[in-house]
Amino acid sequence: MTDLNVIGVVGAGVMGRGLAQDLAQHGHKVLLVDKEQEILEQALRSIRQTLRANLLMGRRPGSRSVDETLSSIVTSTDIAILSDADFVVENATENLDIKKEIYRRIDQICAARTVFAANTSAISITRIGSLTARPDRVLGIHFMNPVPMKRTVEVIRGYHTSDETIGTANRFLSQLGKESVIVSDSPGFVSNRVLMLTVNEAAFLVHDGVAPPADIDKIFVECFGHTMGPLATADLIGLDTILYSIEVLYESFNDSKYRPCPLLKRMVDAGLHGRKSGKGFFEY
Ligand SMILES: NC(=O)c1ccc[n+]([C@@H]2O[C@H](COP(=O)([O-])OP(=O)(O)OC[C@H]3O[C@@H](n4cnc5c(N)ncnc54)[C@H](O)[C@@H]3O)[C@@H](O)[C@H]2O)c1
C-alpha cells in the first residue's frame, strides 16, 4: 500500500491554502507550490491567522501548536520539490492551459506510483488524465470551500481512473476525516453543472435589474432555507473562478444555456472577485 505522508499541493490560493492547513492539522507533511513567492507568504499568513482564530474559539484538532502545524508546510515556487510527494492535489487557476503545463511537469517529476488529484471546478478529469502518461492514476477530488470545515467531497472517476486510485483517494480522504460521493466524469460533474448555472442565472437577474443581490439571496435563504444565497456563494468561491468554470461548461457542452452573464465578465475585468478581493456582489 502506498504511503500517504507527504502531500504535494499545487496552487496556494483560496483552495490550496485551505487544503494545506487541513493537511497540516491532520499530521501530513505538505509541499505547497505556487508561481509567486508573495502568494506563498500570504498563504502562510492567512493559515496562521485562521489557526490562531480557531484556538481562540476553542477549535483545536490534535494537540499541536500553531507553530508546529505551520512547520509541516514547506513552500516553494519550484515545482520540482514535488518529487518527494506521495500524493498531489492540484488547485491552480481554473484554466486548461495553466493546468496542462503543471501536469506535464509533475508527470516528469513525481514517482510513477504518485496519484494526481485535480481539484478543478469543471474541467473534464479524462482530459486532465490525458495530459499525463498515468491516466489510471489521475482522478478528480472536488473539495468544498472552506476545505477544513467541509466533511464531504465529490470524487470524480475519469475514463481511465483505476479502482486502486479510487481506493487510494478514499484512504487519503479518510485520513482527513472526509467522506466522498463518487461520480462519473462529465464537465462540472454533479455539483457545478447545477451550481454554476444557478449562480450565472442569479447574476443575470442583477444584470436585468429584476432585483438587487441582497433580495435575490434573501429569497434563497429565507424562503428555501439555504444557508447562503447564490450570490454570496459566488463571492465565497471567487467570481473569477465562477466565470472560468461557466466558460469551461459553455465550451465543453457547446450549449448556449451556459453563456456567461456579461455582468459577471465586467465584474471580473474590474477586479471584483468576491471575498478574496474585498468586493463582489457584496462588500467584505
Ligand atoms: N474557490 C472555490 O470555492 C473552489 C472550490 C472547488 C474547486 N475549486 C477549484 O480549485 C482551483 C483553484 O481555485 P481557487 O479558488 O483556489 O483559485 P485562486 O485564484 O484563489 O488560486 C489559484 C492559485 O493558483 C496559482 N497558480 C496559477 N498558475 C500556477 C502555476 N503554474 N503553478 C502553481 N500555482 C499556480 C495562482 O497563483 C493562485 O494562487 C480551481 O481549479 C477551481 O476551479 C475552487
Side-chain angles (χ1 to χ4, degrees), residues 64-203:
R64 299 200 309 159
S65 68
V66 169
D67 284 334
E68 278 168 334
T69 304
L70 277 168
S71 70
S72 45
I73 306 176
V74 175
T75 61
S76 181
T77 52
D78 183 1
I79 203 161
I81 64 159
L82 298 186
S83 62
D84 288 337
D86 298 321
F87 191 98
V88 174
V89 185
E90 174 274 311
N91 316 260
T93 312
E94 185 74 354
N95 174 297
L96 187 60
D97 289 336
I98 291 176
K99 294 197 191 276
K100 263 185 191 161
E101 179 55 17
I102 291 170
Y103 283 93
R104 195 185 61 75
R105 291 292 314 281
I106 59 177
D107 201 28
Q108 292 166 343
I109 291 163
C110 296
R113 63 180 161 76
T114 306
V115 166
F116 298 159
N119 180 17
T120 163
S121 294
I123 300 173
S124 153
I125 301 305
T126 304
R127 199 158 178 199
I128 291 180
S130 75
L131 305 172
T132 73
R134 62 181 86 195
D136 56 319
R137 264 154 290 148
V138 176
L139 83 165
I141 301 185
H142 183 210
F143 286 92
M144 304 295 150
N145 180 16
V147 179
M149 290 170 70
K150 299 287 181 172
R151 292 282 148 253
T152 307
V153 304
E154 194 178 18
V155 162
I156 303 103
R157 185 193 276 276
Y159 187 88
H160 292 290
T161 309
S162 68
D163 288 345
E164 192 185 343
T165 296
I166 296 284
T168 305
N170 276 332
R171 195 154 51 86
F172 167 71
L173 289 168
S174 73
Q175 289 177 357
L176 289 177
K178 297 194 197 297
E179 284 185 24
S180 60
V181 177
I182 303 176
V183 304
S184 297
D185 188 30
S186 177
F189 328 120
V190 169
S191 54
N192 281 338
R193 190 150 154 196
V194 176
L195 179 65
M196 294 301 161
L197 263 186
T198 308
V199 165
N200 195 47
E201 208 54 37

